[in-house]
Amino acid sequence: MSARTHTRTPSPSFGGVDTRLPWWALVLPVAAFVALFLLIAGPDGAPATAGDPTVGRLLEQIQQTLPH
């Protein structure tokens, strides 16, 4: 009696690599974006950095060193 062999169907991905993302690979970046957006857009976000000139100087230095 012969045994049945299982044949694999060709996957649509390139090189046989699984291209599906886990659920957290989309949720975590979206949650981080929303959290940062809420920090920036909040009414208390802008005055909190106004009292610390170090952050402003650091941002100016980064802007000056980056090519335009």
Side-chain angles (χ1 to χ4, degrees), residues 13-61:
S13 61
F14 298 104
V17 177
D18 191 12
T19 57
R20 290 178 294 175
L21 293 174
W23 65 269
W24 51 264
L26 284 171
V27 172
L28 289 179
V30 169
F33 175 79
V34 168
L36 290 174
F37 182 75
L38 289 175
L39 284 174
I40 292 171
D44 298 329
T49 58
D52 189 12
T54 308
V55 176
R57 288 182 194 155
L58 177 66
L59 292 176
E60 286 178 15
Q61 186 68 26

